[in-house]
Structure formats: C-alpha cells, structure tokens
Amino acid sequence: MKVTRRNFIKISGVTATGLFFSQLGFDLSPVSAYAQALRIKGAKETTTICPYCGVGCGIICHSSRGKVINTEGDPDHPINQGALCAKGAALYQWVVNENRVTTPLYRAPGSSKWKSVSWDWALDEIAKRVKTSRDKGFVKTNAKGQVVNRTDSIAHIGSAALDNEECWTLQAMMRALGLVYIEHQARI
Amino acid sequence: MTNHWIDLGNSDCILIMGSNAAENHPISFKWVNKAIEQGATLISVDPRFTRSSSKAHIYAPIRSGTDIAFLGGMIKYILDNDLYFREYVAEYTNAAFILTGKYSFEDGLFSGYNSKTKSYDRSYWAFEKDEKGIPKKDSSLKDPRCVFLQLKKHYSRYDLDKVSAITGTPKDALVKVYKAYAATGKPNKVGTIMYAMGWTQHTVGTQNIRTMAMIQLLLGNIGMAGGGVNALRGESNVQGSTDHCLLWHIWPGYLQTPKASKATLAAYNESATPKTNDPMSANWWSNYPKYSVSFLKSMFGNKADEKNGFGYQWLPKVDDGEDYSWLSLFDEMYKGKFEGFFAWGQNPACSGANANKNRKAMAKLKWLGNVNMFENETGSFWKGPEMNPKEIKTEVFFLPCAVSAEKEGSITNSGRWMQWRYGAANPPGKAKPDGEIIVELFDKIRKLYKKDKGKFPEPVVNLKWDYATKGKFDPHKVAKEINGYFLKDITVGDTTYKKGTLVPSFAFLKDDGSTSSGNWLYCNSYTEKGNMAARRNLKDSSGIGLYAEWSWCWPVNRRIIYNRASVDSKGKPWNPDKPVIRWEGSKWVGDVPDGGWPPLANPDGTPNPKSKYPFIMKPEGHAHIFGPGRPDGPFPEHYEPLECPVEKNLMSSQFINPTVQLFGTEMDKFFTCDPRYPFVGTTYRVTEHWQTGLATRWQPWLLEAQPQQFCEMSEELAGLRGIKNGDKVLVESARGKVTAIAIVTKRFKPFTVMGQTVHEVGLPWCYGWVHPKDGGDSSNLLTPSVGDPNTRIPETKAFMVNVRKA
C-alpha cells in the first residue's frame, strides 16, 4: 500500500498497532512517515512558495510557538504536486540556521571587525548619510542645461529575492530620492 | 515565459538550449517528462553533456558563444525545405512587409553603421508605406524586398559546413536537431524552447533569443499550447522585480525612464506612445499615457495633479544616450563616482562579472548598506582576499532581514504567476522583513528633509507613503496600490465605480488623474473581489492545464500570451487537440484572449473590419521576424565572443558584435586568441547551490552534497596538462584566478572548430571566500565586464582561460 503523508495522518490512528508489527515485516517506510507525522502534530500549517529558482513550487511550512519546525512540498500545488528539488527540500535549513545574522552590524572606517548596533542607530546613521550624499551629489541640470533632478552620488542594486510589494516600495523610495543607478539580478 | 511551466507538458518537441533545466529548474522536468511520456522529442544543445542531456533523445554539443550560427543554420534548413507554417508567417508576422531600398547587409554589417560611435542609424531599416502610412505587404512573399526573401538571403550563408566549422557541432547532429525541431512547423505540432542565462550572458545575448523567437514564428509556435519562447528565470521573484522595474531604464510596467530631453509629461508621453495608421492594429501601447499618469498618481497621490504634471518633474531624468546599467554602475563606482551604495539582497562581489573590479570598486565608497540574512562577500568585502581593512575607509552597515517564510507577500514565477505566500514564523533575533526596513529607513530620511530641508525635497516629502498598519509594513496595502484605485466616481456603461474602490482591470485606467495604478500590468491582481494571487482553486476546465483560478497571472490572468495567434482567421484553433482559445460565434472561450475583438475573418471568409491583428503589443500588429528596433541589427548575425579561441569569424570580417562598447579601466582586460589563455571557459550552477551560494552554502545538507569549487574538463585536456581527477588546479583568465578541484569527465569533449581542436572547461559560480573556508572563490573573478549592446548583460558564458595544476 502506498502511504502518503496526508492519508497516513488520517489512517494512523487506527493502524498504529498494525504498524508496530509491520516493522517486523521489514517495511520501515510507514514508520518513518508516522514519526514525521508526530513531528508536525498540532503544528500550524501555512503555505509558501519556494524562494530559490523561478519555477514557483508550493511548500507547506509547519510552525509551532512562532518557530518553523518542518517544511515540505505542497501536494496541492499544481506545478510541483508535492515534489521539491534538493534546494527546495532544504528550505527548513535556510529558515532555521544558526549562521543567520540576528542583529544589525556596523563596520567603521579602517576597522577590521563588525560591531553589533541597534536598528535605531543604524537606520538613523544611514538616513543621515543618504541625505548628506544626496544633497552633495544632487544634479539639478545636466551639461546641456536640461533639468534632470537626480542623485548621481548614490547607487542601488537588488533584489529579485524580495516580494513584489517590497520591490515596488523600494523602487518608489529610490526614485523619490532621485537615484538613476538602480539595478538588480535581472541585469546579470 | 510567454507560456508557463505546466504547459511544457503540452509540447511535441522541447529544445533545451542555453539552459540546463534538469539541474537548475529540476521541477520543470515533471512537465518535460510528461511531454516525453506523450511522445514528445527532447533535444539538448549544450557545450557539456548535462543531466538535461542525459534525458534527451538528441544531444548536440556546441562551442560556447556560437548559438546564432547553430540556429541560423536551422532557419536555413526550415526555409530550404519549406517546413515553415506559411499562413501564420504571411498573416501574423512582418514577413510580408516590404523593406525600403536603404536596407542592406554586407560582410557582417547592416546599412546605417557608424564606425566612430559603433552604432547604427536604424532609419535605414524601415518599411515601405502606402499613401495612408500603412506598411506595404506582399502576402505571396514573392517581392524580392519583402522581409521573407531578405531573411532567406541572409541565412542562405549559414550552410552546414560553415555552421559545423564555427560551432564544433558535428554535421549529423545539426541535421538531427534541425529535422526534429522543424517538424513542429505543421499547424497541429508545437515545439517549445527552454532557455536561461546560457543565452543571455553573451555579447550577442538578445540576438540569440531573437533567432529562436524567429524560428518559433516561422514554425507557428507562438501563442500555442506547448509553444512560445520560455525564459527559465533563476530567482524566485526575478520576474516580479523586473516587472516592478528595479532597473535604471524602466518604470514599473515597462514604462520608459524619462530622458532629459523630455522636459514635460506631455513630451514624454508623446515620445513613448507608438502610433499606427492601420485601423486593424490594436497598438496596445497607444494606452501609454493612461499607465504613466496612473503610475505617477500611485507615486505621489494627492500631491500629483494636472498643474504639476502629476509630479513628473519630481522623478529623476537620465541623459539621452547614456547607460546606467550594472556594468556601467560598477565602472563608475570603480572610478569613484559614488559616495553611497545599497547592496540589498544581492552579492555583487561574487555575482558580478569581473568580480575583482567590483570588490575594488566598493573600497572607493564612503558608505555601504548591505541587507542580507548571512554574512557575505559583499558586506565583508573589506576583509576579503587581497584587502587591507586598515586602508579601507568604507563604512558598512549590515542589516539582517527575514527569509521568505517569515513574512507575507507575493512573488511572480517565470510563468508570470503571482503567488501569495504567508508568514510562518518570526525572524530570529532582531532580523526584520525587508518591507519594514524600507518603510523605517524612508520615514527617517523624510523626517530629516522635513526638518532640515536640503536639496530638492519635493519628491521626498511628497511621495505617497502610507503602507504601514500599526507601524508595520503592510503588503496588502502595497498590493492594492500596485493594482490601483478609482480616485473619483467613474461611470462606465451602466456601472458606476466608486471613488476609493479598486480598479477591476487596466482597461479602466485613465490619463486624467482619476485612477491610480502602481503597475498597470498588475492591474486586476487585487480587486474588490479580493486578492487574486492568493487563490488556490484547482478547477481546470481548459484541458491544457491553465489552472485559471490558481493564483493570478499577468496580464489580466492570461496564461498564454499572444494566444490570438493560436487560431486561424476564423478563430478556429490551429491545433484542435490543444486549443488555447476558440471563437464561438459571438465570443472567445478558453484562456483570456489577447483582446476581445472578433476573428480577422467572418464565417464566409470576408475580412471583418472590427477585428485586430493578433500581435497587439507591436504598433503594426505583426510579430517581428525583421526586428528594426534592436541596436545591433534587424536580423541576428553570428559574431565571435569578445574572448574566443579562433582568429577569424567565418561568416564575415566583423570579428565581434560591431556595436559592443568596452570599458577602459586597467581592470578591463581582454585577451582573444592568446596562447596564455588557450581554453574556452564557461560558468554554470549546480542543483544544490543557488546563484552565488549565499543562501545555500550555509546549509549543511546542501554544502555536504556540493562542498567546493570545481573545474570540469575533458579527459583529453586533462591528459594534455597532466591533471588527474581530484587534483587541485588553478584556473586563470586575463582578470583573475580561481583554485578548483579538477573533475575529469566524458561530459566535456574537445571541439573541432575550423579544423582546430578547441577545449572548453566549466566552473560553477556558487562559491565565495566567506564560507566555507576551503570552498574556493567565485568563478566571476575570471569573467569579462563586457555586455550585450541591448541589455548590457555581461558575457559570462564564453571567455578564455588557462588551466594548470596548482
């Protein structure tokens, strides 16, 4: 019998004893599915789309107490129908990863190390630098005397990893600041 | 993609060229396999025998950078053997248009070339027009000046001997590919192309793709189920980030960034709006002012009105004829132009061509803002190889952000599906979603401008910026703004749309300031009916897997674009087994049609003047077999890569693309046919790593599977250099060097090019010095900073290297 995750959860209640014995029959796959099912029991289920390539596979995230505890292919998604590649299957480790940076960092001129800083300080300091650089490098008219109203002293790249709504908001901010050097992954 | 992933399963012949879908878009193979199960032929053309090749019925090796020669030979084969779809070509493309006497082509150059500026005067490539100003056509395709016969003449030069000598592809493999693919020229047979960066990253990148688009038109494969021209996009939202135009040359929805010469909104709209005198042409871009004004209303809200040109002056203008793209940006940064730089969710220290130049350029900045999840080679450039932190004055701010599953919003896949995703958890520690960072940063900047004034504060203080709910970035508010609102009560027919309600589709947008839409292409995505991108209804009555109620797709949920070319003049599908749309007497059924006009002909065969030609985005309504809009020529022509292993171009005395622009710093070194760099180099990815590896190298599962930089080479080349499988080797180009582990393989074979043996090697570009410590550095240290003249995408798929034992 082919036991998928979803129908397994439904039948596991009545077949738990049988499963114990099926181990003796050396078929461990239902047992490992059962163990997986226990792992996500009672977890919140939300859907997401894989953040890697552009296929757009569906993934289910299981979370508990504000933490992701499992990710797996979404069987209802019409493109991937539950399947994932090596990267998509490793989404869990992108989310739950001790190497992630968890606080803003600052590196001073000439320094050889990072220093942890607060968000307020970091964003205040960046805002001041944006204003100073913009005011200094703002070009009202070009060499031909045409009005251009642009900021030639700041450039921006990124990002195809952002959500649509973030991309739109980011371009609005950068364009309002007068930047013309705005680029991202689509160019490379 | 003109089509979408599931649609691959509808194809009769799939060409994978310029991509390696099995490894880089693995789940696409679910649908490739489905097509194969139903009898489709799979073709793989690649310098290396990849996992895609291993599944293919036909594999043809090709020397990197010679795709136009390969495909030009296919055009010749199709025309010589009359395998093109005649009715489609004559009626739906510009094959029947007549060129003026000014057009010519000689020895690799089209007419109108200026050798000083290395550019063309495109007025030389115009069509003859009748007294009404409509292009003259000869549907019999017999006029010697018609596009069709000029095409035939152009590609008559691409014979098998020449093509094989250039590409290194054996002649029998060429014929096998041509024969199999050209079989889709029958009306009910459909072929498709899956391409990616293997086509774009060349100095002839755009023309690579155009050659294939022309083949698709000749075979009548555009608009069809199982057809189209399909770019496999490498990032989950690179489609969406392009649509919303985080790019210098376009505003959201592919509107043009204004040039300095367009002093007023009226002048801008006038120049950006194409015109036609043909009543049969929909010329969809004639709606341009409605989209540009609606965009400005989304940008500046109530502050934008008719008196101030809807805020047109508040947005920056670029100088006419100047380029501000990626390569130019880093060139200017290297020359010290910028004080500040944001590297937001991107790692140019590894992803950019000639990465050494980018790394050195960043040391000239005063400050750098780096938003990311992991420490990376960009944010930490100051402590990288050959850097002395003490001497680097750049201040760096690293801002930690949330990953996809920790926030809510939408992304758009290659098939243009906008899919909503939900936050499953909170980001760790103090990390924040990018949206929150954007809102908080701009709040602070705006506060400074309100307090201290400063230069030209108007756009900063007038930007509509109400996208927070309870102080937090709210993606729903932005998604609604992107869709757009009615800004006053508007009555259309019998229906009154209330001020403040969401616009149902872009057909309702206005150029008088009474509507807003942050991106007209996404108008219809979030309406009074709800958030279309969040839909999860699996009902599919199309029979061809359109899944019209699953998520949402631009434009207006049309799943296959140019679909009005999938039917004959009476609206009957060319392929009745897999119809995309069909005319049922009074209406179209199936996919959302490319415009609702009736078919070109009435049931009795007489022309219907109420109809429109199918290619509605082109001013003349016909697809471009002859492409007069491209800066490097109306027909694709083979030129060698900037760095190549041959001393001449067999097709003409123009060695490289004559419109390529080169940068002049000491970091921009190029060597062609130089004995120090005798081997062709190319780059690619592996399944387990993504782009620079920034979001995969930190995962133990993935890193264990692919732990370090490697260089793949043939047994013959390894023998020549005394290299054994597993040896450490040094790969060097004019610009940099990379240490790698040798993989000696049968997957690469030496090419015979113009009678000479040419070796090619390949390296993934997924590694960097930050992590893992012994994993090697980016192969983009080797690649050249030279771009395609259309897109300025760098030529990172064909360059010259040396390989030796380390």
Side-chain angles (χ1 to χ4, degrees):
Chain A
M1 174 184 148
K2 198 180 160 200
V3 181
T4 65
R5 166 71 60 82
R6 290 224 153 166
N7 65 34
F8 187 84
I9 296 167
K10 287 179 204 148
I11 62 173
S12 60
V14 289
T15 56
T17 323
L19 271 173
F20 176 75
F21 290 107
S22 79
Q23 280 185 70
L24 302 174
F26 304 105
D27 180 7
L28 292 175
S29 59
V31 178
S32 85
Y34 179 60
Q36 280 283 328
L38 281 184
R39 190 180 172 198
I40 57 168
K41 205 175 166 190
K44 189 176 114 191
E45 202 178 88
T46 48
T47 57
T48 190
I49 302 297
C50 182
Y52 288 108
C53 85
V55 174
C57 297
I59 295 180
I60 297 175
C61 296
H62 295 100
S63 57
S64 176
R65 295 189 203 104
K67 287 205 183 332
V68 171
I69 56 167
N70 181 60
T71 60
E72 62 185 61
D74 181 351
D76 293 332
H77 197 282
I79 295 175
N80 61 310
Q81 300 176 338
L84 290 174
C85 75
K87 289 188 294 295
L91 173 64
Y92 172 77
Q93 270 196 350
W94 187 351
V95 183
V96 183
N97 191 312
E98 60 182 14
N99 299 306
R100 285 181 64 183
V101 181
T102 56
T103 174
L105 303 172
Y106 171 70
R107 184 260 175 185
S111 169
S112 56
K113 55 178 189 289
W114 290 109
K115 182 175 98 175
S116 289
V117 293
S118 74
W119 273 106
D120 235 17
W121 183 86
L123 294 180
D124 273 335
E125 293 303 308
I126 298 173
K128 279 189 235 165
R129 280 157 188 74
V130 167
K131 183 166 189 300
T132 307
S133 298
R134 181 182 181 272
D135 287 352
K136 200 169 134 194
F138 195 79
V139 182
K140 181 91 197 152
T141 53
N142 64 9
K144 285 187 190 159
Q146 296 160 325
V147 175
V148 293
N149 285 332
R150 67 174 187 240
T151 300
D152 274 354
S153 47
I154 306 174
H156 169 94
I157 59 161
S159 171
L162 301 182
D163 289 350
N164 283 317
E165 296 71 28
E166 293 170 332
C167 288
W168 194 89
T169 313
L170 187 55
Q171 69 79 34
M173 167 168 88
M174 294 301 172
R175 292 197 156 102
L177 288 171
L179 269 67
V180 286
Y181 287 94
I182 301 171
E183 287 281 278
H184 83 286
Q185 282 92 340
R187 190 78 67 190
I188 57 174
Chain B
M1 285 173 129
T2 55
N3 296 38
H4 59 102
W5 296 103
I6 293 170
D7 184 63
L8 295 168
N10 292 320
S11 195
D12 297 301
C13 186
I14 298 175
L15 173 60
I16 300 184
M17 185 168 175
S19 82
N20 172 16
E23 288 174 75
N24 296 327
H25 303 85
I27 300 303
S28 70
F29 256 66
K30 186 181 264 292
W31 303 101
V32 174
N33 284 336
K34 188 189 169 204
I36 291 172
E37 281 162 19
Q38 292 176 352
T41 305
L42 177 64
I43 305 169
S44 162
V45 180
D46 199 294
R48 180 178 59 126
F49 188 88
T50 65
R51 287 185 197 167
S52 302
S53 316
S54 76
K55 292 282 176 191
H57 301 97
I58 305 168
Y59 167 68
I62 180 174
R63 170 170 66 98
S64 282
T66 62
D67 302 72
I68 291 173
F70 190 108
L71 297 174
M74 192 185 310
I75 292 179
K76 176 173 162 58
Y77 182 91
I78 291 167
L79 297 178
D80 286 354
N81 296 290
D82 280 339
L83 296 168
Y84 58 98
F85 185 171
R86 199 178 186 293
E87 193 177 345
Y88 188 108
V89 169
E91 303 301 330
Y92 295 170
T93 79
N94 65 11
F97 288 28
I98 316 288
L99 288 159
T100 69
K102 282 173 83 183
Y103 167 76
S104 66
F105 175 80
E106 207 171 322
D107 192 24
L109 284 176
F110 297 90
S111 49
Y113 186 66
N114 180 333
S115 56
K116 265 192 201 141
T117 57
K118 290 168 81 179
S119 64
Y120 283 105
D121 174 354
R122 284 175 255 181
S123 70
Y124 280 75
W125 311 335
F127 300 121
E128 296 268 9
K129 293 195 172 159
D130 66 14
E131 64 287 353
K132 289 183 199 146
I134 299 170
K136 286 187 190 169
K137 302 180 193 82
D138 173 22
S139 296
S140 72
L141 307 179
K142 284 181 183 151
D143 188 306
R145 297 294 300 169
C146 80
V147 163
F148 184 76
L149 291 183
Q150 290 296 318
L151 175 86
K152 203 164 183 172
K153 186 176 160 196
H154 191 91
Y155 292 101
S156 64
R157 301 147 54 236
Y158 288 69
D159 59 76
L160 281 179
D161 288 322
K162 238 182 221 170
V163 170
S164 175
I166 293 169
T167 57
T169 312
K171 278 194 270 183
D172 61 337
L174 287 172
V175 173
K176 261 195 218 166
V177 174
Y178 295 170
K179 195 175 169 191
Y181 202 80
T184 67
K186 296 195 183 91
N188 63 344
K189 291 286 171 200
V190 186
T192 192
I193 171 67
M194 298 168 75
Y195 78 90
M197 315 320 283
W199 268 1
T200 59
Q201 291 174 341
H202 293 280
T203 44
V204 291
T206 305
Q207 298 285 9
N208 282 335
I209 297 151
R210 243 191 73 68
T211 324
M212 191 66 212
M214 288 158 61
I215 289 171
Q216 289 297 69
L217 290 170
L218 288 172
L219 300 172
N221 285 338
I222 304 244
M224 305 285 287
V229 175
N230 295 303
L232 315 186
R233 314 227 46 177
E235 300 237 1
S236 61
N237 197 33
V238 74
Q239 184 63 57
S241 56
T242 305
D243 300 336
H244 296 307
C245 298
L246 283 163
L247 291 163
W248 78 269
H249 69 299
I250 35 181
W251 281 355
Y254 303 91
L255 306 176
Q256 300 169 21
T257 297
K259 296 196 167 67
S261 60
K262 304 295 171 271
T264 62
L265 176 65
Y268 165 76
N269 278 335
E270 169 70 19
S271 77
T273 308
K275 302 189 179 48
T276 179
N277 291 328
D278 193 337
M280 294 291 284
S281 175
N283 185 26
W284 195 264
W285 277 116
S286 61
N287 294 302
Y288 194 99
K290 300 172 189 168
Y291 307 152
S292 60
V293 171
S294 295
F295 167 69
L296 289 167
K297 285 298 292 178
S298 282
M299 286 289 282
F300 297 112
N302 293 335
K303 299 284 164 57
D305 58 33
E306 203 145 9
K307 274 183 227 139
N308 62 23
F310 299 105
Y312 175 76
Q313 289 304 351
W314 294 334
L315 286 172
K317 313 286 175 293
V318 292
D319 285 349
D320 297 64
E322 282 302 309
D323 177 83
Y324 299 80
S325 67
W326 177 280
L327 291 172
S328 302
L329 185 159
F330 279 99
D331 192 61
E332 294 294 346
M333 190 189 293
Y334 183 78
K335 293 180 194 156
K337 179 167 186 151
F338 308 121
E339 286 198 353
F341 177 48
F342 288 101
W344 201 304
Q346 201 168 358
N347 187 16
C350 286
S351 63
N354 199 359
N356 267 327
K357 183 178 176 185
N358 301 350
R359 293 176 184 187
K360 288 198 169 136
M362 288 192 287
K364 313 230 168 127
L365 296 165
K366 271 196 165 173
W367 57 269
L368 162 66
N370 182 214
V371 185
N372 222 305
M373 296 130 189
F374 297 104
E375 186 186 358
N376 59 78
E377 291 76 14
T378 297
S380 293
F381 81 93
W382 43 272
K383 56 173 171 168
E386 296 169 41
M387 293 281 174
N388 180 357
K390 282 197 189 101
E391 289 171 4
I392 296 169
K393 304 293 176 215
T394 314
E395 283 183 286
V396 187
F397 299 87
F398 182 98
L399 307 177
C401 61
V403 304
S404 58
E406 294 163 345
K407 60 188 179 185
E408 191 177 359
S410 72
I411 57 172
T412 304
N413 77 358
S414 272
R416 296 167 287 106
W417 291 17
M418 175 194 182
Q419 303 190 89
W420 199 262
R421 48 189 191 185
Y422 301 88
N426 299 319
K430 292 175 184 159
K432 290 180 192 230
D434 295 271
E436 277 182 38
I437 302 173
I438 298 165
V439 164
E440 287 176 31
L441 177 61
F442 194 69
D443 281 346
K444 285 179 186 289
I445 296 170
R446 175 128 89 169
K447 217 164 151 189
L448 292 178
Y449 273 93
K450 281 182 177 161
K451 199 174 99 205
D452 304 335
K453 294 287 180 268
K455 289 269 174 70
F456 200 56
E458 288 85 349
V460 182
V461 298
N462 289 338
L463 186 68
K464 183 173 177 291
W465 198 250
D466 51 0
Y467 304 121
T469 298
K470 292 182 185 165
K472 300 273 185 210
F473 176 75
D474 184 343
H476 292 274
K477 283 189 174 166
V478 182
K480 289 176 185 174
E481 187 62 64
I482 290 171
N483 179 83
Y485 291 97
F486 288 107
L487 303 175
K488 36 171 115 141
D489 291 358
I490 290 180
T491 303
V492 182
D494 300 337
T495 314
T496 297
Y497 297 90
K498 285 285 183 198
K499 177 183 173 181
T501 59
L502 293 156
V503 178
S505 87
F506 52 63
F508 294 83
L509 296 179
K510 302 269 191 198
D511 61 5
D512 60 2
S514 60
T515 57
S516 70
S517 177
N519 187 334
W520 71 278
L521 270 183
Y522 281 72
C523 192
N524 184 235
S525 64
Y526 206 130
T527 67
E528 292 299 321
K529 289 181 184 159
N531 181 357
M532 297 291 136
R535 295 183 302 171
R536 283 178 63 90
N537 187 341
L538 284 167
K539 193 178 95 191
D540 180 38
S541 52
S542 71
I544 52 168
L546 296 181
Y547 291 98
E549 292 175 43
W550 179 276
S551 71
W552 179 87
C553 163
W554 70 254
V556 288
N557 208 32
R558 181 176 302 135
R559 303 279 160 150
I560 295 180
I561 51 182
Y562 309 120
N563 57 26
R564 282 180 67 255
S566 72
V567 295
D568 68 12
S569 61
K570 293 180 185 169
K572 209 171 110 235
W574 299 119
N575 183 5
D577 293 339
K578 290 170 186 167
V580 183
I581 56 166
R582 67 172 185 276
W583 181 253
E584 282 200 342
S586 59
K587 64 176 193 322
W588 294 101
V589 296
D591 195 8
V592 178
D594 255 325
W597 308 282
L600 286 163
N602 294 309
D604 63 2
T606 54
N608 185 345
K610 287 183 189 153
S611 184
K612 302 284 178 198
Y613 299 129
F615 285 90
I616 61 172
M617 302 313 283
K618 293 289 174 200
E620 321 89 8
H622 290 70
H624 282 188
I625 283 184
F626 184 86
R630 301 273 57 86
D632 50 352
F635 287 135
E637 170 69 4
H638 168 72
Y639 304 108
E640 286 292 330
L642 177 64
E643 288 191 336
C644 69
V646 295
E647 278 172 327
K648 62 174 181 180
N649 175 1
L650 270 193
M651 296 307 305
S652 73
S653 56
Q654 289 302 318
F655 193 47
I656 62 165
N657 186 336
T659 58
V660 158
Q661 306 285 334
L662 300 178
F663 295 103
T665 77
E666 64 276 15
M667 298 299 288
D668 298 285
K669 284 186 275 188
F670 315 106
F671 290 118
T672 204
C673 257
D674 186 307
R676 287 173 294 174
Y677 305 101
F679 311 128
V680 179
T682 194
T683 62
Y684 40 80
R685 293 199 286 118
V686 293
T687 304
E688 294 79 4
H689 287 299
W690 185 60
Q691 319 300 43
T692 68
L694 192 146
T696 49
R697 280 185 266 137
W698 294 97
Q699 279 100 308
W701 294 337
L702 296 170
L703 190 63
E704 186 178 342
Q706 287 288 359
Q708 69 217 338
Q709 181 64 275
F710 60 79
C711 174
E712 264 181 288
M713 64 188 75
S714 68
E715 292 170 342
E716 292 81 353
L717 172 57
L720 206 66
R721 290 285 154 126
I723 294 166
K724 287 195 295 296
N725 194 34
D727 280 353
K728 199 179 254 188
V729 295
L730 198 62
V731 187
E732 297 162 293
S733 78
R735 296 156 294 276
K737 52 178 186 273
V738 171
T739 307
I741 300 299
I743 293 185
V744 179
T745 171
K746 292 184 197 303
R747 292 190 290 262
F748 266 118
K749 294 275 185 208
F751 295 100
T752 303
V753 176
M754 301 177 201
Q756 308 278 316
T757 300
V758 170
H759 295 280
E760 179 159 344
V761 302
L763 301 91
W765 61 282
C766 312
Y767 297 93
W769 61 267
V770 165
H771 184 76
K773 288 297 172 206
D774 53 358
D777 209 342
S778 174
S779 53
N780 273 318
L781 295 167
L782 307 170
T783 55
S785 37
V786 60
D788 169 277
N790 297 268
T791 60
R792 305 286 173 142
I793 290 177
E795 188 158 70
T796 48
K797 287 291 176 270
F799 50 94
M800 297 303 289
V801 297
N802 186 33
V803 183
R804 60 188 164 96
K805 256 176 115 159

